[in-house]
Amino acid sequence: MMRQILATLILCVLLTPLYAAERPKVGLVLSGGGAKGAAHVGVLKILEEHHIPVDYIAGTSIGAYVAGMYSLGYSASEVEAIMMGVDWDSGYSDTIPRNVLSYRDKQLRDRYNIPLNIGYTEGEVRAPSGLLRGQTMSQLLRQSTDLVQQFGDFDTLAIPYRAVATDLETSLPVVINHGSLVKAMQASATVPGALQPTQIDGKLLVDGGIANNMPVDVVKAMGADIIIAVDIGSPLVKKDKLDSTIAVLDQLSNFLTNASTEKQKQLLTDKDVLIRPAIDALSTTDFTIMPLALTLGKEAANGQLDKLQNMSVSAEEYAAYVEAKKAKGKLLIANVAHPIKEIVFDNQSKVSLNLLKETLNLEAGQAVTKDELNDALKRIYALNKFERVDAEFVEGEEGRVLTVTTRAKSWGPNYFQLGFNWEDDFSSDSAISFDMAYTMTDLTFNGGEWRNEVKLGFEKLFATEFYQPLDRDQEFYSRARYQFDVHNWDLYDNNNRVFVFDKKTHTIELGIGYNYVLQGFIEFGLVGEKGVIVNDAWLLKDFDFNSYGAYLRVGYDSLDSISFPTSGNRITLNVYVRNEDFDDVVDNNKNEFSVQVEADWKGALSVGNHAFVGKASLATNNNDGLNTLHLSDLGGFLNLSGYHKDSLTGAHKLFGAFVYQYDLGRDALLGMRDYPLYLGLSLEAGNVWYERSEVSLSDLIYASSLYIGTDTSMGPAALGFGITDMGDKSLYLFVGKAF
């Protein structure tokens, strides 16, 4: 390896022409401007086309990204291919995909659907220092730069490079000249408030555009004799456009960036070149405009050819320059393919080191690709314990050392969670509810959690639960839960509500479980209930009931969405063995032994914009008729559409459905990117029976529904219409309610 490095260095020296010491050194300055940054690539292509070498390069924000890529030895065309291949929009979401969350975290997200990051500790309420943590953006940047090591000096790159950020504490510009290229790029582009500040050398760094959006002075200080500065900053807008809060905030931001740019322009001399592409009408956040911005960058550079050509060198000299740059660039990325000598964890959390190692699933001696590393970091981040998970390489004498940094959530360890949902069928009562929880974590060595929950609205609930992992890897656990809930227990006849009961229940559960995979669990335990059923409209006494027994629960959930899945499966099995004691309608006390089994499946697959979803439910109880209070329900949207929610009740249930949904939102016609917009059609069949002897497939009720809906960061929203073969019809509205 040392021979290869030595040979490459000698080649670089031999290929570096003598004219490089004689000709004026050219420095390229690339300003910030978001999605308009593709214009920088257009300028680079014109410089290459006309044999204009770049000896120094620096940038701010998106300019720091393009400059950093070029400094690694990539050509303009290679930078273009990489930049256009990045899904930039995905970098503005740090939400962990549902399908990779643990089973427990999936259920909590579905219920507490408001994406809130607020905690409480040391007597104060805390929140992140940015709406986004920058986790996904760092992965995108790592995809661009590959797994290059940290550099002791950015002067050692194929082209000496600088990135400019702003010190959040002092508002002064910070020139980043060493360390991680990914961190330098990200720090320079960290929009204050939107993204959490990047920490480098003990400083909190944010977008360099605040302090120096076009760092001419930085490139001059590097040694450049002639400056080519590319300005893609946003202009100030007229007062008739300042008609919203966002517009005003953008204008204030432009005050800062434009002021710093104007200051830097004063440093340009007659021999320098300022290129201003015609990008004023383009958006900084719409990355679909990048091809147009690139073209405009080329046009602007061509418009300055009379001055740019003064920096042009001969074809032979430029070929030597390119070969020297490529040779040095190859040397920089040669180590990427080398095996890892050692993996080091900088674990700034209470998660066990063994769990981190198992989840990372990389080994010393392994040659890791950027995709493998990003997938490994995603697995750790999906544990939902961290604010950020980062990785950096350091080249040592004996090989590559990978350092994985895990930083606990700064607004923890105690968290608030909120949920909201609204369900309406436009004929019976609307069901609106609010869920709130306060969870204290890391209470024990293995990561014990104490959650207190309250539900208000159509249904009411108070619960407290202690969840105690029994090992450091959190595979085995114990759980203790007390719950008091009040909900309407309506009785229907022919889809018409006849009686309204209030069912009030105290429940205690004690369980031991095993998370056999991340997406699945098995739990068994003891359960006891005591409650009353009240009907104020009847001149009858209350119905008291209680039960005690044991349960077995098994679950597996890999769905990417609980309501509009396009991939994965969800399977649950619940078995209860109880002794039930309750009053019946003729004032006799009943003491019954019951065995109840409930099984549910939901699965999905997709082809392009088409998704196919299947559902199946089965429930039975060894007690028939009125010999048990633990019954199964059917009815409602996609559960025999056309009927009211849970309007069919019995001891035995059978149900199946096939759902087809087409994603209109991502269809080229609508061009929506942020959220899907599904048009769905379902075919359903099922029924419930009180007596086992009455169960018959000939009694199945058939139903169908047509709906349109979307899946947002706050849960599903859908409007649907259902009809049964019996002529029952219902219109359904859901907001935030999983179905």
Side-chain angles (χ1 to χ4, degrees), residues 181-202:
L181 198 62
V182 168
K183 269 194 173 183
M185 292 176 175
Q186 189 162 10
S188 184
T190 296
V191 180
L195 290 162
Q196 283 192 322
T198 302
Q199 297 186 36
I200 297 180
D201 296 337

Side-chain angles (χ1 to χ4, degrees), residues 127-370:
S129 53
L131 296 176
L132 301 173
R133 268 75 68 200
Q135 178 70 26
T136 307
M137 184 59 73
S138 67
Q139 293 173 355
L140 294 182
L141 295 176
R142 194 178 298 113
Q143 284 288 115
S144 296
T145 62
D146 214 330
L147 305 183
V148 295
Q149 71 274 17
Q150 296 191 65
F151 300 100
D153 191 336
F154 287 161
D155 284 344
T156 61
L157 299 179
I159 301 174
Y161 164 74
R162 301 289 186 271
V164 178
T166 301
D167 188 329
L168 187 58
E169 184 179 15
T170 66
S171 79
L172 297 176
V174 175
V175 179
I176 307 172
N177 58 11
H178 68 281
S180 165
L181 198 62
V182 168
K183 269 194 173 183
M185 292 176 175
Q186 189 162 10
S188 184
T190 296
V191 180
L195 290 162
Q196 283 192 322
T198 302
Q199 297 186 36
I200 297 180
D201 296 337
K203 297 178 179 178
L204 293 178
L205 303 182
V206 294
D207 197 325
I210 297 172
N212 191 349
N213 196 48
M214 194 175 70
V216 173
D217 57 343
V218 173
V219 177
K220 281 183 175 289
M222 293 172 73
D225 300 306
I226 302 177
I227 299 294
I228 302 173
V230 186
D231 177 18
I232 60 167
S234 298
L236 298 178
V237 300
K238 301 299 183 182
K239 64 179 181 180
D240 60 321
K241 300 294 184 181
L242 299 173
D243 53 1
S244 69
T245 302
I246 298 299
V248 172
L249 291 175
D250 284 343
Q251 186 82 329
L252 293 175
S253 175
N254 292 337
F255 285 166
L256 298 173
T257 56
N258 287 0
S260 69
T261 299
E262 289 302 318
K263 183 178 179 180
Q264 292 297 310
K265 286 180 181 179
Q266 302 303 315
L267 302 177
L268 297 174
T269 66
D270 292 340
K271 63 181 180 181
D272 300 323
V273 180
L274 175 63
I275 300 175
R276 172 70 183 177
I279 42 72
D280 289 358
L282 301 185
S283 168
T284 60
T285 57
D286 182 4
F287 288 92
T288 62
I289 58 91
M290 288 199 301
L292 174 58
L294 189 146
T295 299
L296 294 174
K298 292 173 67 174
E299 292 176 357
N302 277 325
Q304 297 276 14
L305 275 182
D306 56 335
K307 297 183 69 175
L308 289 173
Q309 286 178 334
N310 294 330
M311 308 172 207
S312 180
V313 299
S314 68
E316 294 78 12
E317 290 173 328
Y318 191 73
Y321 160 82
V322 170
E323 285 301 317
K325 188 180 77 166
K326 283 184 177 179
K328 203 166 184 180
K330 288 180 180 179
L331 177 62
L332 294 174
I333 64 174
N335 294 325
V336 168
H338 294 168
I340 300 172
K341 171 185 174 291
E342 183 182 5
I343 300 176
V344 177
F345 284 89
D346 179 11
N347 184 17
Q348 303 170 25
S349 74
K350 293 185 179 181
V351 178
S352 76
L353 186 60
N354 190 55
L355 178 58
L356 293 178
K357 289 179 178 178
E358 289 183 356
T359 307
L360 185 70
N361 196 26
L362 299 176
E363 300 291 340
Q366 178 181 355
V368 179
T369 67
K370 59 186 178 183

Side-chain angles (χ1 to χ4, degrees), residues 163 167 180 184 237 291 331 333 374 385 414 585 680 690 712:
D167 188 329
S180 165
V237 300
L331 177 62
I333 64 174
N374 273 341
K385 305 287 187 181
N414 306 323
V585 294
Y690 268 97
T712 73

Side-chain angles (χ1 to χ4, degrees), residues 358-393:
E358 289 183 356
T359 307
L360 185 70
N361 196 26
L362 299 176
E363 300 291 340
Q366 178 181 355
V368 179
T369 67
K370 59 186 178 183
D371 290 330
E372 290 172 336
L373 179 60
N374 273 341
D375 287 343
L377 298 182
K378 287 178 183 178
R379 288 194 296 270
I380 294 179
Y381 190 64
L383 294 176
N384 203 21
K385 305 287 187 181
F386 308 106
E387 182 172 348
R388 281 287 297 271
V389 179
D390 291 313
E392 294 294 345
F393 286 93

Side-chain angles (χ1 to χ4, degrees), residues 551-728:
Y551 66 85
L552 170 68
R553 293 178 184 143
V554 181
Y556 177 84
D557 188 347
S558 62
L559 291 177
D560 58 349
S561 167
I562 187 62
S563 298
F564 299 106
T566 58
S567 66
N569 290 276
R570 186 176 190 270
I571 302 170
T572 61
L573 172 65
N574 299 319
V575 180
Y576 297 93
V577 179
R578 301 185 182 95
N579 184 77
E580 299 188 66
D581 187 2
F582 58 93
D583 299 331
D584 69 7
V585 294
V586 294
D587 207 21
N588 292 323
N589 183 267
K590 287 193 174 184
N591 195 301
E592 300 285 350
F593 174 80
S594 69
V595 178
Q596 183 184 24
V597 179
E598 301 172 322
D600 290 275
W601 166 78
K602 189 174 188 177
L605 58 86
S606 61
V607 179
N609 287 5
H610 308 271
F612 308 92
V613 182
K615 295 181 64 177
S617 295
L618 171 68
T620 188
N621 196 313
N622 70 311
N623 281 343
D624 286 332
L626 300 177
N627 295 321
T628 180
L629 293 181
H630 294 92
L631 304 173
S632 298
D633 300 311
L634 192 59
F637 183 54
L638 299 184
N639 287 287
L640 278 189
S641 301
Y643 279 91
H644 298 307
K645 178 178 172 62
D646 299 337
S647 59
L648 300 173
T649 303
H652 312 282
K653 177 176 74 171
L654 184 63
F655 174 75
F658 170 78
V659 182
Y660 166 76
Q661 59 190 30
Y662 182 78
D663 188 352
L664 292 167
R666 295 192 174 99
D667 188 278
L669 180 64
L670 295 181
M672 295 171 60
R673 299 186 310 278
D674 293 338
Y675 298 111
L677 182 64
Y678 294 111
L679 178 64
L681 174 68
S682 72
L683 301 175
E684 309 158 34
N687 206 343
V688 297
W689 299 267
Y690 268 97
E691 304 289 342
R692 186 186 300 273
S693 60
E694 297 175 349
V695 176
S696 173
L697 294 180
S698 62
D699 290 337
L700 289 179
I701 301 170
Y702 297 92
S704 183
S705 70
L706 181 68
Y707 65 88
I708 188 165
T710 185
D711 219 351
T712 73
S713 59
M714 292 184 62
L719 180 65
F721 172 76
I723 186 171
T724 72
D725 62 341
M726 308 294 290
D728 299 289

